[in-house]
Amino acid sequence: MVTSTTTIKLAIVGAGPSGLVTAKTLLEASDKDPSFKPEITIFESEDRVGGTFRYRSYSNATLVSSKQLTCFSDFRLPLSHHDHLTLPEYVRYLEDYVSHFSLDKRCTFKFNTSVLAIRRGEGEKAPHLVRYKCHEAGAGDVELEESFTHLCVCSGLHVTPAIPEIPGLPPTMTWEQAVKAAKDQQVTSKDKGEELSQAEREDGSEQNSSSAEGIIVLHSSSFKDRSLYSGRKVLIMGTGETGMDMAHEAVKGGAKEIILCTRSGFLMFPAVLADFVVLGSKFDGNLPIDGLITNLFETAYVHPWVAASHLRWFVSDFVIKRVLWALTGTEAGCNQWVGELEPERLGRAFTFLNKSSKAMPYINRGWKNRPWLFEKLASYLDPPSVLPEEPSVDLAPFPHHFRKDGSVSFVKNGRKEYYRMKGRKVQPDVVVYATGYQQNFEFLGKEYPVPATVSCRDVLDPSDPTVSFIGFVRPGVGAIPPIAEMQAQLWTLILRGKLEPPTSTPHYYLLVKESARIKYGVDYSSYVSQLAKDMGSAPSLSELWWRHGLFVTLIYCFGAAFPTFYRLVGPYEHPQAAEISRTELYDTIKRRGVIGNLMMGVIPMAFYALINLFALILEKSLAIPIYVMRVLTSSKRARPVVVTQTQGRPFTDSSRRRDAHNGARNRGRGMGEGEGDPDDGPEQEKYRQSKLGKTMLRLFALIVGVLTLASAPAIVQANTEISNFGPVLCRADHYGHLANRAADQMSANW
């Protein structure tokens, strides 16, 4: 903790959105609290701010999260600005953010600087030693070491490419190498063309690489322009948002053949809801989907039992699937006819929405099959930019290996795309890994934790709040920058001694399987609302009404979990938050129209209100027999408790370490609006160990299980790979299976 006489010397690794908002939040706190004096140094390997958005971008790329959700709480774009920014526009936004808050004058930026190693120092004044290399033009590389009292890692999730090993495929290239190889390929093809027959030319053989060694291979982080695809056969690995963008770029770039490879499917939903036709009337609401989930009884005023069971997620999945079937003819995704996820993973609780839908009309060709009558009732229109003469995108399994002649042997995954591709010879000229990124902390010493193991809200360990990780969770739908802003606010309060590190059981992790590659996924609304409750920034309706009036209160209820809502009250209250709510955030609600607000607001609120009320009544009714049982057993001698498992999960080194930090108190109930965890005592311990109490409290979980038809293994062991640290147990492994273990979880906590 920071004492009243302490000046902290902070090193921030990374000058992307997370690093910038952390610096701004700390400096803003110092303006209000003269005793809090951070001296901030920001290390950035590139020559300017912007991170991934500047240096790993490609032409025609846009953010799939809306400006309303992506922008920081107190630095907004004009109401007239379009909803989804291009990457250059967002980089300009970050530059303006630096200028507006004078970060370039109040912080020391070390650009063109690589952090080589961070290790523990000796003594309280220099606990962290940072060794770094400055790349100065004309002066060569200079290696230095500097000590800091605090460390904040903001290096980002999207920096180190994740490249699976595919036998027979050449190494990846840089963009410059790929462009040169493409030119050489054209020259070779031109010379070779004189020896080919007319049939071979029509078949495209004149452009084929003819051997695996001649294939142009690159990761999407190196891709810059669609011109590389012109006239070539393209194979793209990965069906995330980047993979979909790559497929669309190949279509518009004039590719000859496009193969898009998927591991186990995807969940498609457009970034903007539009182009529906219902009973002959066209719906073109231009609604960003990340602003549709309402607050009241969805993220605010949620009973802890409802939160622990994830009932809200499963109910919304159930409803959305039926609505999608009625509007588009398929439940797999919005107008998604192939590449569907397994049924047990299909939904908001399990996966990341793929909001890049531009390639979907080309993928659907040959798969879409809906009776004409249903098309007359309701349909989803392809955009006018989709032309019939443009090539289709064929879905395929991931490559198992490449043969010497450059042809692909696909994984036999038993899915329908495999049987369609079976027997087809695919010989690509260009292969793109759109396989995402991996966490890499090569500069951190082994004595440091990593984001997957810290126990306080994925930000820090309570045992050492001088080290934090900002921006290392990924929302299923939403944006990382506003999450980073609230993480920075939480850490700042802890550093100032205004808040004890909260470590109560979280209920915001996406549910994961053992085979999942990404285990740091969270439900955006659940996560940011939990941070707001921790900090005292989650407004109560009575307080909102009293402070800001009925209009702002209704906007908060009907709006999504926009970061500005958590500046209306609490330690980070902002004078412009109410006005932003009345204008920009109200606009997102107004666009839905009367029918939209009825379907997306009033009906879900009423339903979830009943669910939460049912949980509350059940809880209160259980209190009576539990109280009677407690009285009857109060005179009996308490038996010693031998603990062999923690909340239904096997003991591990990390669970022991976390339990030592948390104690029985912090493994209590999830907090409600404005609530804290109750103090533990002998009576509470007897209550937890009461067989009757456990049995009765399992009733709610049993009802939830029946309603949601949840079925999964009771206990799943899983770990995640982190570069240079190897397998580490992460919090999602402990908490990510709460739906199928809700009874054990709640009986242990309550």
Side-chain angles (χ1 to χ4, degrees):
M1 297 294 180
V2 178
T3 66
S4 59
T5 59
T6 300
T7 298
I8 70 172
K9 185 179 180 184
L10 171 66
I12 295 178
V13 181
S18 298
L20 298 178
V21 75
T22 300
K24 177 262 180 186
T25 303
L26 289 163
L27 292 171
E28 191 174 57
S30 70
D31 294 336
K32 299 177 181 178
D33 183 0
S35 64
F36 183 70
K37 297 182 179 180
E39 298 176 0
I40 301 174
T41 301
I42 302 178
F43 295 91
E44 172 56 54
S45 60
E46 306 291 354
D47 58 356
R48 285 178 289 177
V49 302
T52 289
F53 301 97
R54 182 190 293 273
Y55 296 101
R56 281 165 288 281
S57 65
Y58 45 88
S59 59
N60 306 307
T62 60
L63 299 182
V64 291
S65 56
S66 67
K67 67 171 184 179
Q68 293 88 350
L69 203 70
T70 306
C71 290
F72 296 123
S73 62
D74 54 359
F75 190 70
R76 312 297 291 180
L77 287 169
L79 187 61
S80 58
H81 198 286
H82 51 264
D83 289 329
H84 294 86
L85 284 70
T86 65
L87 297 195
E89 286 175 334
Y90 186 65
V91 170
R92 177 61 185 273
Y93 169 83
L94 294 177
E95 292 174 337
D96 292 342
Y97 186 80
V98 170
S99 301
H100 181 78
F101 293 105
S102 301
L103 300 184
D104 49 344
K105 298 179 176 63
R106 304 185 65 184
C107 301
T108 300
F109 281 87
K110 291 186 180 293
F111 291 113
N112 296 308
T113 300
S114 300
V115 174
L116 302 177
I118 300 177
R119 59 185 177 87
R120 296 282 186 181
E122 296 181 1
E124 294 183 359
K125 294 185 177 180
H128 310 290
L129 298 178
V130 179
R131 183 161 56 89
Y132 58 93
K133 181 184 291 185
C134 297
H135 312 284
E136 299 181 3
D141 295 342
V142 180
E143 195 169 311
L144 302 168
E145 187 172 77
E146 192 172 348
S147 63
F148 295 89
T149 63
H150 292 71
L151 171 67
C152 183
V153 180
C154 303
S155 51
L157 285 173
H158 304 129
V159 177
T160 304
I163 301 177
E165 184 177 349
I166 308 293
L169 199 59
T172 58
M173 305 177 179
T174 65
W175 175 249
E176 291 74 17
Q177 291 171 333
V179 171
K180 182 179 183 302
K183 292 180 179 178
D184 294 342
Q185 200 178 75
Q186 285 180 337
V187 171
T188 303
S189 298
K190 184 177 180 181
D191 295 340
K192 184 180 177 181
E194 298 175 358
E195 305 172 5
L196 295 174
S197 66
Q198 180 65 27
E200 289 175 318
R201 290 191 185 95
E202 292 175 354
D203 184 51
S205 301
E206 75 279 10
Q207 191 77 335
N208 192 268
S209 57
S210 74
S211 69
E213 289 78 7
I215 299 176
I216 299 171
V217 183
L218 70 162
H219 188 268
S220 60
S221 58
S222 300
F223 178 84
K224 297 300 177 187
D225 189 76
R226 63 176 59 159
S227 60
L228 180 68
Y229 295 145
S230 179
R232 293 182 170 81
K233 298 178 180 180
V234 180
L235 184 142
I236 300 160
M237 286 183 277
T239 47
E241 289 165 346
T242 301
M244 291 293 175
D245 280 357
M246 292 293 102
H248 184 259
E249 289 295 284
V251 170
K252 295 301 181 181
K256 184 178 299 181
E257 178 185 77
I258 307 162
I259 307 295
L260 183 62
C261 301
T262 184
R263 284 191 178 95
S264 57
F266 53 93
L267 177 56
M268 173 58 61
F269 221 103
V272 178
L273 276 184
D275 300 327
F276 286 103
V277 175
V278 181
L279 297 175
S281 299
K282 184 177 179 181
F283 172 78
D284 192 8
N286 195 29
L287 298 175
I289 65 165
D290 57 16
L292 294 183
I293 297 176
T294 53
N295 265 322
L296 188 59
F297 303 126
E298 172 74 2
T299 58
Y301 291 93
V302 178
H303 192 278
W305 289 5
V306 178
S309 65
H310 300 312
L311 180 60
R312 300 162 294 164
W313 300 357
F314 296 124
V315 169
S316 64
D317 287 343
F318 178 85
V319 173
I320 289 172
K321 288 177 186 177
R322 274 66 189 173
V323 171
L324 288 179
W325 180 85
L327 292 178
T328 71
T330 171
E331 294 183 1
C334 185
N335 197 36
Q336 178 184 343
W337 290 85
V338 67
E340 62 270 21
L341 292 166
E342 304 96 325
E344 64 270 17
R345 289 186 58 227
L346 184 57
R348 152 189 184 186
F350 304 96
T351 191
F352 305 96
L353 290 189
N354 189 327
K355 301 180 291 298
S356 177
S357 60
K358 293 181 289 187
M360 205 63 220
Y362 306 97
I363 299 173
N364 279 334
R365 290 177 180 173
W367 294 102
K368 190 170 184 178
N369 182 21
R370 194 184 189 198
W372 67 269
L373 178 59
F374 288 97
E375 282 289 297
K376 287 291 184 181
L377 294 175
S379 61
Y380 187 77
L381 302 177
D382 289 337
S385 59
V386 177
L387 305 177
E389 63 270 19
E390 291 175 324
S392 299
V393 177
D394 294 311
L395 203 66
F398 251 56
H400 181 272
H401 65 275
F402 279 72
R403 304 181 184 92
K404 290 184 179 181
D405 65 351
S407 62
V408 186
S409 174
F410 292 107
V411 173
K412 299 177 181 179
N413 61 4
R415 293 166 59 89
K416 60 185 181 183
E417 59 265 18
Y418 166 72
Y419 291 105
R420 186 164 182 174
M421 297 298 295
K422 186 179 179 181
R424 177 173 166 180
K425 189 171 185 178
V426 176
Q427 290 179 287
D429 304 307
V430 179
V431 171
V432 179
Y433 288 101
T435 46
Y437 299 83
Q438 61 180 335
Q439 293 190 43
N440 189 339
F441 302 100
E442 293 180 349
F443 52 85
L444 277 181
K446 297 289 185 180
E447 65 273 22
Y448 284 94
V450 291
T453 61
V454 295
S455 59
C456 175
R457 303 295 183 249
D458 302 77
V459 176
L460 57 93
D461 254 327
S463 59
D464 184 12
T466 67
V467 180
S468 69
F469 299 88
I470 306 294
F472 286 97
V473 296
R474 180 179 169 186
V477 55
I480 294 177
I483 287 177
E485 180 179 24
M486 296 192 68
Q487 289 177 324
Q489 292 172 355
L490 180 79
W491 187 48
T492 301
L493 288 177
I494 294 172
L495 289 182
R496 295 174 60 201
K498 304 294 185 182
L499 180 70
E500 287 294 322
T503 52
S504 59
T505 300
H507 302 304
Y508 43 70
Y509 293 113
L510 299 183
L511 307 184
V512 294
K513 296 175 66 176
E514 183 177 0
S515 58
R517 183 176 65 89
I518 298 177
K519 299 190 178 72
Y520 43 83
V522 298
D523 178 79
Y524 171 84
S525 300
S526 301
Y527 183 70
V528 298
S529 64
Q530 180 64 67
L531 294 182
K533 293 169 190 174
D534 294 336
M535 296 186 290
S537 299
S540 67
L541 299 187
S542 59
E543 186 178 15
L544 274 182
W545 197 328
W546 179 260
R547 298 280 303 279
H548 300 292
L550 177 61
F551 187 41
V552 171
T553 304
L554 290 174
I555 292 170
Y556 173 75
C557 292
F558 279 83
F562 299 118
T564 306
F565 284 152
Y566 304 117
R567 305 293 300 272
L568 290 166
V569 299
Y572 291 98
E573 183 176 349
H574 192 275
Q576 297 299 317
E579 184 60 25
I580 294 171
S581 300
R582 294 188 191 98
T583 54
E584 177 192 350
L585 303 185
Y586 171 62
D587 180 67
T588 64
I589 300 170
K590 185 172 60 175
R591 283 198 225 171
R592 302 172 193 166
V594 175
I595 300 299
N597 277 300
L598 178 65
M599 299 295 295
M600 302 169 193
V602 175
I603 293 176
M605 285 182 196
F607 176 80
Y608 289 126
L610 291 175
I611 294 295
N612 284 284
L613 180 61
F614 168 70
L616 180 63
I617 293 173
L618 183 61
E619 177 196 6
K620 297 302 182 184
S621 64
L622 292 178
I624 298 174
I626 290 173
Y627 174 77
V628 173
M629 191 66 182
R630 202 185 327 178
V631 171
L632 294 175
T633 59
S634 60
S635 60
K636 295 182 179 181
R637 181 180 177 181
R639 298 178 181 178
V641 178
V642 179
V643 180
T644 57
Q645 283 192 338
T646 303
Q647 297 184 4
R649 63 181 182 275
F651 255 129
T652 62
D653 290 340
S654 61
S655 67
R656 290 191 186 98
R657 182 169 62 249
R658 182 183 57 257
D659 293 341
H661 296 325
N662 296 0
R665 175 177 185 271
N666 288 323
R667 294 196 303 274
R669 75 176 82 182
M671 291 190 293
E673 211 75 343
E675 294 178 346
D677 291 338
D679 291 332
D680 276 347
E683 295 299 319
Q684 186 72 6
E685 185 61 24
K686 289 178 184 177
Y687 166 67
R688 284 205 181 106
Q689 299 303 324
S690 166
K691 183 177 181 180
L692 176 62
K694 288 183 179 181
T695 302
M696 298 186 71
L697 288 169
R698 291 169 69 94
L699 177 61
F700 182 78
L702 177 62
I703 295 172
V704 169
V706 172
L707 289 176
T708 60
L709 302 177
S711 61
I715 296 177
V716 181
Q717 296 283 348
N719 57 63
T720 185
E721 290 279 346
I722 296 182
S723 178
N724 86 295
F725 276 81
V728 297
L729 197 65
C730 65
R731 296 160 315 285
D733 299 323
H734 292 309
Y735 301 126
H737 312 281
L738 295 183
N740 55 291
R741 291 191 285 135
D744 292 334
Q745 177 75 18
M746 287 188 289
S747 64
N749 285 351
W750 289 74

